[in-house]
Amino acid sequence: MRLIMLGPPGAGKGTQGGMLARALEVPHIATGDIFRQAVREETELGRRAKSYLEQGELVPDEIVVGIVLERLQKPDCGKGFILDGFPRTVQQAEALEEFLQKEGKALTGVILLDVDPEVLVERLTGRRVCRQCGATYHVRNMPPREEGRCDECGGELYQREDDREETVRHRLDVHERQTRPLRDYYEKQDLLHVFDAAQPIEDVFAAIMEQLGRGR
Ligand code: AP5
Ligand code: MG
Ligand code: ZN
């Protein structure tokens, strides 16, 4: 399966993308995670992406597209993939389409997680992430068993730099202007499936699996 997770910051792309990747046994490719890792490791990519991430701006298309298309050529993508956070502009979507066409492949579908912006501010400002394995928690909706520690690996939980309220509001704004047009783009191709992402995590997941014909 070749799926795209679409939706505003905090909609649950990472949460659902991770669950789907485990269930479908395909890689979960999250551009935000790739950039944050590069920043942490102070690579050339990290140096180029850092200020965009901190300000909640999009990293320029020419940087993002190169990274993703290279990743999609790795052998583990043979069975499919889950793209989370990419594409985010029409230009990125076109580049992906062209790449898949050349490979003789097509997208299975685009999963749109739809939620009201006010819910998103609360979700993002309460989010905590494991420094070690990237697992995501929420101080109220999904607290770890031990405060500040990851259930999976015991790693330290931290708050993402761009999850401060001011930056969150800016990211939502950037999403409205630059990413929302992708809904029409995929709707026209008859690939868009909309899910009410205000529902509990397990319910959203069940609805997506059902749609994919993998429901129980
Ligand atoms: P990225 O990391 O992709 O951030 P984002 O799109 O802003 O999305 P988030 O990761 O914040 O939210 P999510 O939808 O994954 O939600 P999550 O599952 O964590 O991008 C970061 C930056 O990188 C960008 O700003 C940009 O600079 C750059 N970038 C990345 N890709 C790019 C691209 N293609 N082009 C250009 N630049 C790019 O859930 C959020 C919280 O809510 C968690 O705490 C979770 O536990 C909780 N939660 C989830 N679902 C539910 C639910 N159903 N009910 C209750 N709580 C829930
Ligand atoms: Mg995410
Ligand atoms: Zn962890």
Side-chain angles (χ1 to χ4, degrees):
M1 289 211 192
R2 299 184 198 93
L3 299 170
I4 290 175
M5 309 299 297
L6 196 62
K13 301 182 297 295
T15 303
Q16 299 295 334
M19 291 163 81
L20 285 168
R22 279 190 292 278
L24 305 171
E25 298 181 322
V26 293
H28 173 206
I29 301 170
T31 40
D33 291 349
I34 293 173
F35 290 134
R36 279 184 293 277
Q37 185 180 358
V39 169
R40 223 169 25 241
E41 292 172 354
E42 298 180 2
T43 64
E44 178 55 31
L45 174 66
R47 274 189 289 278
R48 292 170 76 188
K50 191 169 192 273
S51 66
Y52 297 104
L53 260 77
E54 280 173 359
Q55 289 159 31
E57 292 289 342
L58 294 187
V59 175
D61 288 337
E62 56 274 19
I63 300 178
V64 189
V65 167
I67 300 289
V68 174
L69 299 191
E70 197 180 308
R71 178 66 187 85
L72 291 179
Q73 290 174 58
K74 298 258 162 77
D76 64 340
C77 293
K79 297 200 319 183
F81 49 75
I82 292 175
L83 280 172
D84 158 3
F86 181 94
R88 238 178 170 97
T89 62
V90 170
Q91 209 187 325
Q92 291 178 18
E94 287 170 350
L96 174 65
E97 198 175 330
E98 194 185 320
F99 167 82
L100 289 174
Q101 240 158 33
K102 275 196 200 130
E103 300 262 302
K105 294 174 179 159
L107 289 171
T108 309
V110 176
I111 294 171
L112 172 63
L113 300 175
D114 208 17
V115 211
D116 184 74
E118 272 319 302
V119 178
L120 299 175
V121 174
E122 198 270 336
R123 277 193 192 173
L124 291 173
T125 51
R127 172 167 60 186
R128 298 293 180 270
V129 183
C130 174
R131 228 180 253 292
Q132 217 158 282
C133 76
T136 298
Y137 299 86
H138 190 279
V139 290
R140 275 172 304 278
N141 306 339
M142 209 200 191
R145 284 192 294 271
E146 187 191 335
E147 199 189 317
R149 290 272 149 227
C150 176
D151 292 350
E152 308 285 330
C153 75
E156 181 203 353
L157 301 185
Y158 79 106
Q159 180 170 35
R160 259 168 61 173
E161 181 100 14
D162 60 350
D163 276 349
R164 279 186 294 232
E165 182 156 348
E166 214 181 271
T167 316
V168 163
R169 293 201 185 272
H170 184 63
R171 283 160 60 205
L172 290 169
D173 215 51
V174 166
H175 174 268
E176 282 306 306
R177 284 185 280 119
Q178 299 187 260
T179 308
R180 191 172 273 277
L182 287 181
R183 298 182 183 205
D184 278 350
Y185 182 89
Y186 287 119
E187 171 101 80
K188 284 197 187 106
Q189 299 186 22
D190 214 17
L191 286 169
L192 196 72
H193 305 288
V194 185
F195 297 90
D196 174 8
Q199 299 302 310
I201 293 172
E202 289 299 332
D203 295 0
V204 178
F205 180 65
I208 298 172
M209 289 295 274
E210 181 82 42
Q211 208 288 320
L212 295 173
R214 302 289 185 104
R216 263 172 278 179

